[in-house]
């Protein structure tokens, strides 16, 4: 799900919960200043708490787990196959709702600007004068008094001297306590959440509480509460000159009169406002529950290949022991990603990393003497500063091979760090390192006479089934290319693929992972299924691969070579046809 949409939904859910909390605990007390703080805190909390963990929501997309995106250059974009050419109504509905929402935002924001402009126009048109020692702006027509920030608007001839005194006391309370800030803030919240009725209820509570505060101040100054209430009732029929303001006769008057007559809440009641803290903590904790990412470890396991090593001389044992010592980098508490917008990169890219591993890794003497070989899968973290940290073997072969694989990964130089939304982030990688002995295993080997393992990430290996004189590469200087490029390949698949009828009837869907070899002439050969899901779907994937036209062959040092590719093809029922999503 889109992170911004998740944030927006959580924000509105927070408004609902916080408003319910307010009505349950604070609605009937008379601690008006505390209520003001609580209401503003609720609005701020609803805006802020989803941001505490916004980055983690990106992980809801399906990743290739730790199958490091360094392999992306040799994996074609994933193809999603559908059963029909129908329109995806989910996308249509989502776009319609998005348009409807932004139309509402635009409409209510225009309304806000009109109200603001009407106040500014009154400020320009009305003449300033001083009444009972207070600077006011005289309204030209009979209308209800109101204030907006430092401006007080009154029609003096419509009120007696006693009434003016009450009005000015009321409006000066709004001015001195900056109540217009609350009004504008709550109005903007309603514009952003105009479809949420609880946002409007929250705004109403904010404005009503401001009037309770001003009324309470009038009564504190010694005015008779019965006379004041009758004065309010007398102004109920007057239309307010502006809506985006603190109006003296704001409705509903019934609630204001009931609050003025209400017995003051006992001081011990203030303690309940402390409940806001555990509520805020609870919301943040709920928001930080990490979504469990879907795993594809089996896919990674089946797609790892090996390569036959070439001879190399080992450094002395004491140097190796020194090299094994790993520099421990203290990790922070930042979120750990597996797939991000900009993946980390080894200095110089994939070829440089291959060369680094090839020239640095050494076959342990004990493992060589015992004929131990196999694939070690190393998982590590590329930190925000590019350092490699937390290297560990998640698939082990032997202690010697595991230690050597960890040593080589730990000795890597700093990477170019990954970025998500422009910020450096921590990313988890997995690299398979295959140790394979070439030729017969010697019964005994000298301490410093070892073989180098040609280790390359994932697909950058030779096919062991190919003849020695015809190696099959998977990372070369110039990769093979489908005629017309990737877009034409997508189009070819879209026009030629057929969803098997039996698979449709049985509701079979999922990802088929197939490999193929583009030979020196550009022919598609040696296609096979690495991960199948259903016989007819597997067969359809192979049929489509073999029906492809000739490719432009890959080249290494200017010479055409055989190159192996891996293609993931997702078959999904009732989904958009051929929607490409890059597998990283």
């Amino acid at each position: 799900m889109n992170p911004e949409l998740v944030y927006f939904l959580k924000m509105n859910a927070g408004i609902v919960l916080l408003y319910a909390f307010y009505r349950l605990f604070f609605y009937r007390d008379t601690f008006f200043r505390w209520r003001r703080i609580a209401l503003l805190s609720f609005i701020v909390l609803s805006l802020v708490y989803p941001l505490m963990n916004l980055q983690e929501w990106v992980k809801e997309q399906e990743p290739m787990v730790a199958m490091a995106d360094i392999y992306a250059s040799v994996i074609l974009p994933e193809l999603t196959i559908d059963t029909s050419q129908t329109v995806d109504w989910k996308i249509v509905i989502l776009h319609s709702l998005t348009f409807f929402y932004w139309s509402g935002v635009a409409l209510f924001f225009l309304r806000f600007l009109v109200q603001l402009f009407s106040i500014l126009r009154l400020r320009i048109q009305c003449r300033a004068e001083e009444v009972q020692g207070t600077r006011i702006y005289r309204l030209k027509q009979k209308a209800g008094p109101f204030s907006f920030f430092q401006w007080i608007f009154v029609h003096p001839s419509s009120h007696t001297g006693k009434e003016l005194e009450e009005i000015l006391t009321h409006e000066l309370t709004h001015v001195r306590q900056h109540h217009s800030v609350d009004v504008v803030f709550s109005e903007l919240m309603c514009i952003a959440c105009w479809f949420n009725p609880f946002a409007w209820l929250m705004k109403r509570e904010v404005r009503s509480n401001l009037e309770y505060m001003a009324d309470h101040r009038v009564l504190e100054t010694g005015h008779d509460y019965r006379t004041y209430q009758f004065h309010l009732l007398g102004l109920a029929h007057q239309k307010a000159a502006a809506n985006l303001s603190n109006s003296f006769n704001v409705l509903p008057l019934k609630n204001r009169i009931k609050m003025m007559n209400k017995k003051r809440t006992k001081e011990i009641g203030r303690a309940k406002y402390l409940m806001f803290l555990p509520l805020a903590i609870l919301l943040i904790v709920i928001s930080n529950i990490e979504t469990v990412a879907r795993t594809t470890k089996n896919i990674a396991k089946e797609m790892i290949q090996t390569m036959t090593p070439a001879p190399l001389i080992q450094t002395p044992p004491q140097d190796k022991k020194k090299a094994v010592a790993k520099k421990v980098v203290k990790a922070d508490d930042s979120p750990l990603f597996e797939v991000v917008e900009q993946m980390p990169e080894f200095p110089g890219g994939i070829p440089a990393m291959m060369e680094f591993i090839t020239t640095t890794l050494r076959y342990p003497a004990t493992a060589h003497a015992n004929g131990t070989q196999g694939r070690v899968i190393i998982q590590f973290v590329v930190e925000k500063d590019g350092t490699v940290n937390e290297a560990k073997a998640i698939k082990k072969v032997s202690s010697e091979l595991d230690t050597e694989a960890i040593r080589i990964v730990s000795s890597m130089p700093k990477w170019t760090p990954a970025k998500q939304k422009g910020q450096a982030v921590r990313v988890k990688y997995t690299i398979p390192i295959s140790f394979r002995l070439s030729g017969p295993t010697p019964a005994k080997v000298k301490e410093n006479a070892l073989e180098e393992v040609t280790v390359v990430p994932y697909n950058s290996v030779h096919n062991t089934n190919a003849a020695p004189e015809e190696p099959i590469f998977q990372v070369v200087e110039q990769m093979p290319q489908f005629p017309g490029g990737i877009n034409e390949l997508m189009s070819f698949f879209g026009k030629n693929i057929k969803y098997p009828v039996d698979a449709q009837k049985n509701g079979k869907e999922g990802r088929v992972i197939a490999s193929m070899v583009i030979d020196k002439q550009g022919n598609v050969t040696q296609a096979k299924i690495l991960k199948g899901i259903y016989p007819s779907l597997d067969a359809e994937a192979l049929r489509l691969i073999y029906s492809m036209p000739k490719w432009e062959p890959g080249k290494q040092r200017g010479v055409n070579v055989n190159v192996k590719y891996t293609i993931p093809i997702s078959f999904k029922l009732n989904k958009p046809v051929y929607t490409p999503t890059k597998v990283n």
Side-chain angles (χ1 to χ4, degrees):
M1 185 181 291
N2 186 291
E4 289 75 15
L5 177 59
V6 174
Y7 165 79
F8 187 72
L9 294 176
K10 287 197 172 188
M11 178 184 71
N12 281 276
I15 291 174
V16 174
L17 294 175
L18 292 169
Y19 177 78
F21 182 76
Y22 169 81
R23 292 283 298 196
L24 183 63
F25 293 103
F26 306 139
Y27 180 66
R28 298 184 180 279
D29 66 42
T30 58
F31 301 119
F32 303 127
R33 289 186 177 86
W34 284 85
R35 286 173 64 170
R36 181 190 184 190
I37 295 173
L39 286 167
L40 292 178
S41 298
F42 289 161
I43 297 175
V44 172
L45 179 61
S46 65
L47 295 173
V48 171
Y49 89 91
L51 293 173
M52 298 294 182
N53 200 30
L54 187 58
Q55 295 183 92
E56 287 300 300
W57 303 333
V58 179
K59 298 175 73 173
E60 293 192 9
Q61 56 183 309
E62 185 174 6
M64 280 293 292
V65 187
M67 203 62 199
D69 286 64
I70 55 177
Y71 312 143
S73 62
V74 295
I75 305 179
L76 294 180
E78 178 180 347
L79 302 176
T80 301
I81 311 305
D82 193 6
T83 59
S84 66
Q85 300 290 331
T86 57
V87 177
D88 187 352
W89 290 105
K90 291 183 179 179
I91 296 178
V92 174
I93 293 173
L94 180 61
H95 288 172
S96 300
L97 290 176
T98 302
F99 175 78
F100 181 64
Y101 166 73
W102 285 111
S103 298
V105 170
L107 181 63
F108 283 104
F109 187 71
L110 179 62
R111 171 176 169 266
F112 171 80
L113 293 179
V114 170
Q115 293 175 348
L116 184 62
F117 177 76
S118 66
I119 296 177
L120 295 176
R121 185 180 60 180
L122 284 175
R123 166 64 180 82
I124 295 173
Q125 293 177 347
C126 295
R127 179 169 55 88
E129 60 181 66
E130 190 170 310
V131 175
Q132 296 185 7
T134 302
R135 182 182 178 84
I136 68 163
Y137 293 90
R138 177 185 288 269
L139 294 172
K140 295 183 178 180
Q141 298 178 351
K142 187 176 181 180
F146 69 94
S147 63
F148 187 71
F149 287 96
Q150 300 297 316
W151 305 332
I152 299 177
F153 298 86
V154 183
H155 189 253
S157 59
S158 300
H159 310 284
T160 65
K162 184 65 174 177
E163 290 174 344
L164 275 175
E165 185 179 349
E166 293 173 347
I167 290 172
L168 294 177
T169 302
H170 182 101
E171 300 302 336
L172 280 172
T173 303
H174 288 313
V175 170
R176 291 167 180 169
Q177 296 182 6
H178 309 289
H179 289 178
S180 293
V181 174
D182 303 42
V183 172
V184 172
F185 188 33
S186 61
E187 190 71 32
L188 292 175
M189 178 196 67
C190 280
I191 292 174
C193 307
W194 60 267
F195 63 91
N196 187 347
F198 291 92
W200 295 91
L201 292 173
M202 188 79 81
K203 184 186 90 166
R204 185 189 68 180
E205 294 302 327
V206 169
R207 301 195 66 170
S208 295
N209 186 66
L210 297 178
E211 297 305 319
Y212 298 157
M213 295 178 68
D215 292 338
H216 183 64
R217 178 57 185 165
V218 172
L219 299 181
E220 278 186 334
T221 57
H223 293 87
D224 181 68
Y225 75 96
R226 292 185 182 274
T227 303
Y228 180 62
Q229 291 170 10
F230 280 117
H231 181 198
L232 291 177
L233 291 172
L235 293 175
H237 66 280
Q238 291 189 8
K239 183 179 179 181
N243 293 322
L244 188 66
S245 59
N246 298 290
S247 300
F248 179 76
N249 59 333
V250 68
L251 296 178
L253 288 177
K254 180 180 178 181
N255 290 339
R256 292 175 61 184
I257 292 174
K258 286 175 62 176
M259 192 59 68
M260 280 186 276
N261 293 327
K262 186 178 178 64
K263 184 179 179 181
R264 301 294 97 179
T265 306
K266 295 181 179 180
E267 291 298 317
I268 190 63
R270 297 179 189 270
K272 64 185 177 182
Y273 284 87
L274 296 176
M275 291 188 296
F276 171 75
L277 294 178
L279 175 65
I281 295 173
L282 179 62
L283 281 175
I284 294 173
V285 169
I286 293 175
S287 178
N288 278 278
I289 295 178
E290 181 180 358
T291 303
V292 179
R294 293 181 293 273
T295 181
T296 55
K297 291 182 180 179
N298 291 333
I299 297 174
K301 179 178 179 180
E302 294 170 352
M303 296 175 67
I304 298 172
Q305 305 293 328
T306 60
M307 182 175 180
T308 304
L312 180 72
I313 302 300
Q314 183 194 8
T315 55
Q318 60 270 22
D319 294 340
K320 177 181 175 182
K321 291 180 180 179
K322 184 183 295 184
V324 172
K326 173 186 175 183
K327 181 180 179 180
V328 178
V329 181
K330 185 177 179 181
D332 55 26
D333 296 328
S334 302
L336 184 59
F337 292 87
E338 291 173 345
V339 177
V340 291
E341 295 171 354
Q342 182 178 334
M343 295 298 295
E345 185 177 3
F346 187 90
I350 296 176
M353 185 180 70
M354 293 165 52
E355 183 179 357
F356 173 82
I357 298 177
T358 300
T359 57
T360 308
L361 191 145
R362 301 171 181 88
Y363 214 111
T366 304
H368 188 280
N370 296 331
T372 306
Q373 57 184 342
R375 181 191 300 114
V376 179
I377 299 180
I378 300 296
Q379 186 179 91
F380 59 95
V381 175
V382 179
E383 301 289 350
K384 293 180 180 180
D385 60 356
T387 56
V388 175
N389 192 20
E390 302 179 19
K392 62 181 179 181
I394 60 174
K395 180 179 180 300
K396 302 179 180 180
V397 176
S398 68
S399 59
E400 297 86 0
L401 298 185
D402 299 345
T403 301
E404 177 62 12
I406 293 175
R407 180 195 69 81
I408 193 65
V409 170
S410 301
S411 63
M412 286 182 174
K414 282 189 175 183
W415 291 45
T416 301
K419 290 188 178 181
Q420 180 72 10
K421 297 187 181 298
Q423 299 295 323
V425 293
R426 306 171 67 220
V427 173
K428 182 166 61 177
Y429 260 78
T430 298
I431 292 183
I433 300 178
S434 294
F435 295 82
R436 175 164 298 194
L437 297 169
S438 59
T441 304
K444 188 175 182 180
V445 66
K446 294 182 180 181
E447 186 72 14
N448 62 348
L450 299 178
E451 296 179 16
E452 177 191 15
V453 178
T454 305
V455 183
V456 290
Y458 175 25
N459 278 337
S460 183
V461 294
H462 292 293
N463 188 322
T464 55
N465 296 326
E469 65 274 14
E470 294 291 339
I472 299 176
F473 297 91
Q474 290 189 349
V475 174
V476 292
E477 295 171 352
Q478 182 178 334
M479 296 299 295
Q481 186 176 14
F482 186 87
I486 294 297
N487 292 335
E488 288 298 321
L489 176 61
M490 298 296 115
S491 177
F492 172 83
F493 271 71
K495 293 177 181 178
N496 293 276
I497 200 161
K498 299 177 181 178
Y499 207 115
V501 176
D502 63 324
Q504 295 186 44
K505 290 181 179 179
N506 295 320
K508 298 297 182 180
E509 57 181 0
R511 178 189 289 122
V512 176
I513 298 182
S515 68
M516 62 181 180
V517 174
I518 310 300
D519 65 16
K520 295 179 179 180
Q521 291 74 40
N523 298 312
V524 177
T525 64
Q526 302 185 34
K528 63 180 180 179
I529 300 299
L530 298 179
K531 177 181 180 295
I533 55 175
Y534 191 68
S536 61
L537 296 181
D538 300 345
E540 174 61 17
L542 288 176
R543 182 196 69 80
L544 190 62
I545 290 172
Y546 274 120
S547 66
M548 288 190 291
K550 281 190 175 183
W551 289 47
E552 296 178 13
K555 291 186 178 183
Q556 181 72 11
R557 297 181 181 178
V559 179
N560 290 357
V561 293
N562 302 322
V563 179
K564 186 176 182 181
Y565 263 85
T566 299
I567 303 179
I569 303 176
S570 287
F571 293 85
K572 295 182 181 180
L573 296 168
N574 300 323
K575 298 290 181 182
V577 183
Y578 320 124
T579 302
T581 56
K582 188 175 182 180
V583 175
N584 292 323

